[in-house]
Amino acid sequence: MNELATNVFGLPVVFVSDDPHALDFSRMLAMELGVLATLETSVEPLVIRIVVKDEDIDDVDDYKLHFIEGGNGALRIEGGGISARVDPLRREGEIVSGRLATLEARDARNAAIEAVMLALVSCFDRHPVHASAIVAKGRAILFAGASGAGKSTLAHRAHLDGFGFLSEDIVRIQLDPALRIWGGPAFVHLAQASESVKQRIPLERQTPAFAETATVCVLARGDHARLEPITAGVVRASLDEQLAPGFDRFPWRHDAVMDALACNGGWRLTLGADPDDAMDVLRPLLEYHDQ
């Protein structure tokens, strides 16, 4: 078995496999998530094993992956001739598949590697929160809202205005020893006027892949753009209301994470039809942090 030692959101992660394509894909994932972040060397590494059996995958009509929750963050993933698991008690994950005879099989295996990696690190003080995020003077500005609220579009528009990009859809919150907001890969998926499928747009990351303070902007829709302050209680209630499936896997630390994000209050940003109008009302807040 060959090993790839890297880090994901600052946590040491070791990928183990005899398949060079699996290790190449794992390296790419880690780099997208900020492999240059400071590594927590005092933490025992997480281990992810990727096994390709010397047998063909038979009778696969659907390569969709199915997720089966266990207790305390444990997870099983089945589908497309793939079997995978996340075992936080053993600090490990495993992906097992047959020979990858088709592009669909390889895509499914890669999706399983990413899912296991993210599910495993999320068990260790990297709590997933449904928000896009940018950075202004080292402070993360989180745009929280339901799917379709405009999180990706707003983060992309702010990035075009010169602000640092953290994530289009998911951030991960670290609480110990202090608050840290980790971003995602440096790209956004945006719908084009002439296309029905969202286009993946790569971005240049101009900041580290994390920030150490945060302000929450809760997104709403209206006739015109406006920004108004809201209390910590309103921020917390809004975050709880928008808790989506998949973001509720760690209820024992949910309150602490939400309180850390909401404790200083935040803002309600009402979006009109034009993202430029939103930037006009948002820019003074961003420039205040960016001075």
Side-chain angles (χ1 to χ4, degrees), residues 146-285:
S147 296
K151 298 186 296 296
S152 297
T153 300
L154 191 56
H156 181 239
R157 185 63 184 81
H159 175 74
L160 294 179
D161 268 21
F163 296 96
F165 179 84
L166 268 187
S167 179
E168 72 159 350
D169 191 54
I170 301 174
V171 295
R172 282 176 169 77
I173 308 302
Q174 176 183 352
L175 296 179
D176 185 31
L179 179 66
R180 180 169 281 187
I181 300 91
W182 294 90
F187 57 76
V188 294
H189 292 86
L190 298 178
Q192 305 299 307
S194 59
E195 300 177 6
S196 58
V197 178
K198 289 186 177 181
Q199 179 181 352
R200 173 171 163 153
I201 302 173
L203 305 175
E204 179 181 354
R205 195 185 296 282
Q206 300 170 333
T207 60
F210 60 86
E212 296 181 338
T213 55
T215 295
V216 177
C217 285
V218 177
L219 301 186
R221 287 287 181 178
D223 295 333
H224 62 279
R226 62 183 182 276
L227 184 69
E228 55 187 328
I230 53 178
T231 66
V234 174
V235 174
R236 173 63 197 269
S238 298
L239 292 173
D240 286 340
E241 181 182 349
Q242 295 164 8
L243 187 63
F247 295 89
D248 54 357
R249 296 183 59 231
F250 309 97
W252 59 90
R253 68 176 187 233
H254 174 80
D255 286 345
V257 170
M258 295 300 105
D259 288 345
L261 293 176
C263 63
N264 294 319
W267 302 85
R268 178 177 289 109
L269 176 60
T270 301
L271 304 176
D274 189 344
D276 289 338
D277 293 340
M279 285 305 302
D280 288 341
V281 300
L282 183 62
R283 194 173 290 108
L285 173 64

Side-chain angles (χ1 to χ4, degrees), residues 79-144:
I82 294 166
S83 178
R85 63 182 178 86
V86 173
D87 188 341
L89 293 180
R90 289 187 169 90
R91 304 179 66 86
E92 67 181 25
E94 184 178 62
I95 303 98
V96 179
S97 75
R99 284 192 293 260
L100 306 177
T102 67
L103 181 60
E104 290 88 351
R106 176 157 294 176
D107 287 346
R109 197 274 305 273
N110 288 347
I113 294 173
E114 182 173 13
V116 166
M117 180 191 73
L118 294 175
L120 184 60
V121 298
S122 294
C123 296
F124 296 92
D125 196 24
R126 301 296 188 272
H127 190 92
V129 172
H130 192 199
S132 67
I134 60 171
V135 179
K137 199 182 179 183
R139 174 179 290 269
I141 309 297
L142 274 60
F143 301 120

